[in-house]
Amino acid sequence: MIKKITKLTKITIISIVTIFTVLVISIGLIYYFYPEDSVKQIIKSRTEILLNRKIDIGSLHYSPKGIVIYNVIIYDKAADNTDTVLVKSDEVVITFSLLSIIKKDFIITTLYFRGLDLNYVFDKDEKSNIELLISELKQKTFQGGGDKNIKLTKVILNECRLKITNPPMFIKPLEGEYRIDSTIKIQKNNIFKVSETKLTLPQKRGILFPELDIETSEGFVAKGRVKIENASLLWVYKFAEKDPHLPFDVVNGQVNDFEITEKYVRGHAKATSTLKNTKSILAADGSCVVDIDTRNVSLKDIKGKINSSSTALENMLISARQGEVKKFIFSDISFQLSDMRLLLDPLPSGLSGSVKGTFSFDGNTFNGKLDLSNIGYADKTEIFRNLNTTLDINNNIVRKENIPVTLFGSRSSISIATTDNKFKNFYVSVNSDKININSISLKTQTDPGRSITDIPVNITGKLNIKELIYDDFIFKNTKANISASGKIIKINNLDTSILNGTISGTGTIDISNSVPEVQTSLRFSNIKIHDITFKNDKLNKRLFGFAEGTANINLKIKDNAAETFKGNATFTITKGKVVNTGIQDGLIVFLSELRYKLKDLEFNKIYGNVNIDGNNFNINSFIFNSEDLRLTINGRVDNDLTAKDMKMKLEFNNHFIKDLPRPAVAVFNEYLSGKWYVIPFFLNGNITESKNIKMLKKNQ
């Protein structure tokens, strides 16, 4: 690609000089012998014959500085025979030496162009109009006449423009209009000295000030230096086959020892660069070589500094074709992680602390020694802090055990080790005495559309928490086997103890969105219902039994996460007992004859199937079952025990009421169905308040 650009540059320089040298040749012998109009016509006709293109000349006159020609237009050849402009110049001044004419050497001291426009257009076959012109001229020979030799010593470009149109894809980013001011001195052996040059790039991409010696006799070689002013790198990245995702934006500085050949481009740069979406400035000083054939970029002996951070890059090899870093050696690293993230976008924004040491990659293995100080991470909340350790990396192997760290505000430790020799797979073990989830504030992100950074490696490991507190629940000896990669964290095996029972299961955490989403599949057993603390005193400490069952719950990790719960739970409670709750008070209002029997209810089994939607619960079935008594409930209720259109049915048999007087039993006869009395109720409002319970007629 750079070879094509080099060729393009060479062709452009030669074409400008060639085209207007033709004009000079036509003028050579006739300057003193013909009037201005005759000279104008002769120049026009001879140049049209030579270039095989139509030419217009506005006017021509003689002056002490030479011949001045205004409004010169050279038209291009177009496939549709239309007259498109190849070259246009507002003013051309030809200054020459009279002494050279006497010596029969016609030396042009200066060829001056003002308002020169050169249209560089490519066709569908990726051939340019300038290439076509040069090819045609090579087939012709020309001379100024007689024995005179025509020599050009200087070209001055003032307010000139080069417009590149429809270039091939490999140089597509070059498309646009360039503004050029320059002085080009032409020496022997096809050497061009470019000075006093200002090249303004298209679309406000910046300005270059090159000072170059260009040799074209044996290949193309340009040497010198280039000053860079407000040059945008964003358009340069478009040359890559895939987006390199580099942070560098606008560059200012200078490239010394600059050299371009057909094989390489190299130079020593001392420059600063702004970084995308920040106010920080990166300062760098070092050398770069680009191999044109392989498209490899070699960086060497670079010292970089950003804010209070700095490092030395001894060498780095980048394959532009593959978009990969092949090798590197960093030394004297002294970086704040907040500054490092400006250069390495995949790093999470909440990282803090500092890193010092060395780090290298030889194409296959990583090596280094890194001192980590006060490392912490906070995104929506503080995840960890106070991590201090030294990591030794030897041939892709890292092993470090029991690194102290404060995890979610609690004393913890982390162990880490690589599990292969490719630096792609890691084992991580986390141990913590206590984590109180209630103290974790999951504040809203400033950028709600931003997702959490991908996990760039494969992680497996274990999580051990002696005491995990959520709401009023205390989970003890929580253990989990985890794996993580990309945007997914898997909980392969979870075990914990709560309420004298156990919970086990699996789950996944999806971090692809700004708010992580959790899916769980759980099994619980021997949960002691009596130990559950209810917010409503009419239920607190009044329910007994041991629960087991399954639950599939999805939720989002955010403040008030319980409001995002969605899923289903199915459970069975054995040895169940319901003692004097508000629901019983409501039943007793209508069934005063059963006052003492309903006050304390014991059940062999209690079955439940509930859909969960945040703070709302849709009870598909809730069955209290014993030999002589059944109570079934279905309908909706919220977290505050407020029911909406809830149906309840109380069923009992004669054995349940055998000790009641006959007149009392007669009250229930209308509800008798076979051997069971079936009494329906309807609930709207708080289920613990008797006023919200309504007794219905049979089959209603």
Side-chain angles (χ1 to χ4, degrees):
M1 178 271 294
I2 298 178
K3 183 181 292 186
K4 294 288 186 179
I5 297 174
T6 303
K7 181 180 178 182
L8 182 93
T9 305
K10 177 180 178 181
I11 291 174
T12 302
I13 295 172
I14 295 175
S15 62
I16 292 174
V17 175
T18 301
I19 290 170
F20 288 95
T21 301
V22 171
L23 298 177
V24 174
I25 293 172
S26 302
I27 296 168
L29 294 177
I30 58 176
Y31 173 67
Y32 291 104
F33 305 104
Y34 295 91
E36 293 176 352
D37 287 342
S38 298
V39 171
K40 171 184 171 182
Q41 291 301 319
I42 292 172
I43 293 173
K44 180 178 183 298
S45 61
R46 292 189 62 181
T47 306
E48 284 182 338
I49 292 172
L50 181 63
L51 299 181
N52 193 25
R53 282 159 177 78
K54 178 182 175 182
I55 295 176
D56 284 340
I57 298 176
S59 63
L60 178 150
H61 68 83
Y62 305 141
S63 75
K65 59 183 178 180
I67 299 177
V68 182
I69 307 174
Y70 294 103
N71 300 323
V72 178
I73 301 176
I74 301 176
Y75 293 95
D76 203 357
K77 288 182 176 181
D80 56 1
N81 295 319
T82 58
D83 292 332
T84 58
V85 175
L86 173 64
V87 181
K88 174 181 175 297
S89 184
D90 296 336
E91 180 182 9
V92 181
V93 179
I94 305 169
T95 304
F96 52 87
S97 168
L98 292 176
L99 181 60
S100 70
I101 294 178
I102 297 174
K103 294 180 178 181
K104 297 184 179 181
D105 286 325
F106 194 68
I107 299 176
I108 305 300
T109 57
T110 303
L111 193 56
Y112 170 87
F113 300 101
R114 180 180 62 82
L116 171 69
D117 291 342
L118 175 60
N119 292 312
Y120 210 132
V121 182
F122 291 81
D123 60 22
K124 62 181 180 180
D125 297 322
E126 300 186 352
K127 298 293 184 181
S128 72
N129 53 352
I130 301 300
E131 286 180 280
L132 177 62
L133 176 61
I134 296 299
S135 177
E136 293 177 2
L137 290 175
K138 284 182 178 180
Q139 299 177 14
K140 299 183 178 182
T141 58
F142 55 87
Q143 55 184 8
D147 296 324
K148 295 182 176 60
N149 298 316
I150 307 300
K151 298 178 181 178
L152 179 61
T153 61
K154 184 191 292 186
V155 177
I156 298 176
L157 305 177
N158 182 24
E159 297 179 1
C160 298
R161 293 170 293 275
L162 168 65
K163 186 175 182 180
I164 300 177
T165 304
N166 195 35
M169 289 305 300
F170 64 89
I171 56 170
K172 190 68 174 177
L174 292 177
E175 189 167 29
E177 183 177 281
Y178 299 76
R179 294 182 174 271
I180 306 170
D181 294 278
S182 182
T183 297
I184 304 171
K185 294 181 180 179
I186 304 172
Q187 300 178 342
K188 294 180 180 180
N189 301 320
N190 293 323
I191 295 177
F192 301 86
K193 294 186 71 69
V194 179
S195 61
E196 300 175 357
T197 299
K198 177 181 178 181
L199 175 62
T200 304
L201 304 177
Q203 302 171 1
K204 299 181 179 180
R205 295 173 180 170
I207 304 173
L208 304 180
F209 299 89
E211 295 183 14
L212 303 172
D213 291 341
I214 302 174
E215 183 177 346
T216 62
S217 58
E218 296 181 1
F220 181 89
V221 179
K223 296 181 179 181
R225 60 185 179 182
V226 181
K227 180 183 176 183
I228 304 170
E229 183 177 294
N230 295 327
S232 171
L233 294 179
L234 300 184
W235 70 280
V236 178
Y237 300 149
K238 295 179 181 180
F239 283 107
E241 294 179 1
K242 61 181 181 180
D243 189 350
H245 297 290
L246 295 174
F248 314 111
D249 193 356
V250 178
V251 175
N252 285 275
Q254 183 157 313
V255 181
N256 295 317
D257 300 324
F258 182 66
E259 182 176 356
I260 301 177
T261 72
E262 294 178 354
K263 293 183 177 181
Y264 60 82
V265 179
R266 66 184 178 190
H268 184 102
K270 187 174 184 179
T272 62
S273 173
T274 61
L275 303 174
K276 296 177 186 176
N277 304 318
T278 76
K279 295 181 179 180
S280 298
I281 302 294
L282 171 70
D285 185 344
S287 299
C288 175
V289 178
V290 179
D291 187 293
I292 295 175
D293 289 333
T294 63
R295 294 181 63 182
N296 286 337
V297 180
S298 178
L299 307 176
K300 187 176 181 181
D301 298 332
I302 295 179
K303 296 186 181 300
K305 180 176 175 55
I306 176 173
N307 299 326
S308 61
S309 302
S310 62
T311 188
L313 176 61
E314 295 184 15
N315 66 68
M316 176 179 285
L317 180 63
I318 304 170
S319 172
R321 179 174 284 114
Q322 298 175 6
E324 296 179 354
V325 177
K326 293 297 186 179
K327 63 180 181 179
F328 60 77
I329 299 177
F330 284 98
S331 61
D332 298 328
I333 299 172
S334 180
F335 248 86
Q336 296 293 320
L337 291 182
S338 56
D339 292 334
M340 189 175 293
R341 187 187 179 276
L342 300 177
L343 302 176
L344 301 175
D345 188 61
L347 289 179
S349 60
L351 276 175
S352 60
S354 64
V355 178
K356 294 184 178 181
T358 61
F359 191 48
S360 67
F361 176 62
D362 63 7
N364 294 305
T365 57
F366 290 94
N367 287 276
K369 184 175 183 179
L370 299 175
D371 295 323
L372 310 182
S373 300
N374 296 319
I375 304 298
Y377 176 58
D379 186 18
K380 294 182 178 182
T381 189
E382 181 186 87
I383 307 298
F384 69 88
R385 57 183 166 86
N386 296 336
L387 191 154
N388 297 276
T389 192
T390 297
L391 291 180
D392 289 309
I393 306 169
N394 298 305
N395 296 324
N396 287 345
I397 302 299
V398 176
R399 285 191 177 92
K400 191 74 174 183
E401 295 183 0
N402 300 321
I403 305 170
V405 65
T406 301
L407 182 65
F408 292 113
S410 300
R411 185 179 62 185
S412 307
S413 66
I414 296 177
S415 298
I416 184 172
T418 52
T419 59
D420 64 2
N421 59 358
K422 297 181 180 179
F423 219 66
K424 292 291 186 181
N425 297 285
F426 290 81
Y427 180 86
V428 177
S429 176
V430 179
N431 295 277
S432 184
D433 290 336
K434 177 191 292 187
I435 293 180
N436 189 346
I437 297 178
N438 299 320
S439 65
I440 299 173
S441 175
L442 300 174
K443 59 187 178 182
T444 303
Q445 292 182 170
T446 55
D447 181 6
R450 179 180 64 86
S451 63
I452 298 175
T453 303
D454 284 9
I455 301 170
V457 295
N458 301 317
I459 297 175
T460 57
K462 288 186 176 182
L463 180 66
N464 297 287
I465 305 172
K466 291 182 179 179
E467 192 172 88
L468 181 65
I469 302 172
Y470 176 67
D471 203 359
D472 294 326
F473 299 105
I474 299 176
F475 299 86
K476 295 183 178 180
N477 298 321
T478 300
K479 298 180 179 181
N481 293 328
I482 62 171
S483 61
S485 182
K487 294 185 179 295
I488 299 295
I489 301 172
K490 291 184 178 181
I491 303 170
N492 300 313
N493 187 21
L494 169 69
D495 288 294
T496 189
S497 298
I498 183 174
L499 301 172
N500 291 310
T502 61
I503 297 177
S504 61
T506 60
T508 60
I509 303 174
D510 186 343
I511 60 174
S512 58
N513 298 312
S514 59
V515 179
E517 297 182 4
V518 181
Q519 294 181 343
T520 64
S521 179
L522 305 173
R523 179 174 294 277
F524 51 91
S525 63
N526 205 42
I527 302 297
K528 192 176 181 181
I529 302 299
H530 181 67
D531 289 342
I532 298 177
T533 300
F534 293 94
K535 295 180 180 179
N536 192 301
D537 288 337
K538 291 184 178 181
L539 293 180
N540 206 26
K541 301 297 182 180
R542 300 189 182 189
L543 300 177
F544 297 83
F546 296 89
E548 65 176 20
T550 61
N552 295 293
I553 306 295
N554 300 337
L555 62 104
K556 294 182 179 180
I557 301 178
K558 55 181 291 187
D559 274 341
N560 302 316
E563 297 178 358
T564 70
F565 280 30
K566 290 183 182 295
N568 175 270
T570 301
F571 55 86
T572 300
I573 301 175
T574 58
K575 300 179 182 180
K577 187 176 182 179
V578 182
V579 179
N580 197 25
T581 66
I583 296 177
Q584 291 155 283
D585 292 341
L587 295 176
I588 291 171
V589 169
F590 301 100
L591 305 173
S592 58
E593 297 83 357
L594 302 177
R595 174 182 303 274
Y596 299 105
K597 286 188 170 290
L598 293 177
K599 189 173 183 180
D600 295 334
L601 298 176
E602 294 186 6
F603 299 93
N604 297 331
K605 297 279 187 180
I606 300 175
Y607 303 97
N609 186 291
V610 180
N611 289 338
I612 303 169
D613 187 3
N615 290 326
N616 297 300
F617 305 89
N618 187 40
I619 301 174
N620 300 316
S621 63
F622 213 139
I623 303 172
F624 298 77
N625 195 31
S626 68
E627 291 182 1
D628 301 321
L629 180 68
R630 294 195 296 257
L631 179 65
T632 60
I633 299 174
N634 62 75
R636 287 178 289 174
V637 65
D638 64 18
N639 202 42
D640 296 322
L641 300 181
T642 300
K644 183 176 182 181
D645 301 330
M646 178 178 285
K647 295 179 181 180
M648 184 168 60
K649 186 165 57 175
L650 179 67
E651 302 178 52
F652 52 86
N653 57 21
N654 284 319
H655 190 269
F656 182 71
I657 57 175
K658 64 180 180 178
D659 53 351
L660 290 181
R662 285 188 176 274
V665 174
V667 174
F668 307 119
N669 285 340
E670 68 172 290
Y671 294 100
L672 184 61
S673 177
K675 295 181 179 181
W676 290 82
Y677 296 91
V678 181
I679 305 175
F681 294 86
F682 190 77
L683 289 82
N684 261 320
N686 193 296
I687 64 175
T688 66
E689 297 180 10
S690 58
K691 65 179 182 178
N692 297 321
I693 300 177
K694 178 181 179 182
M695 189 169 119
L696 305 176
K697 294 181 179 181
K698 182 179 180 180
N699 298 325
Q700 186 174 347

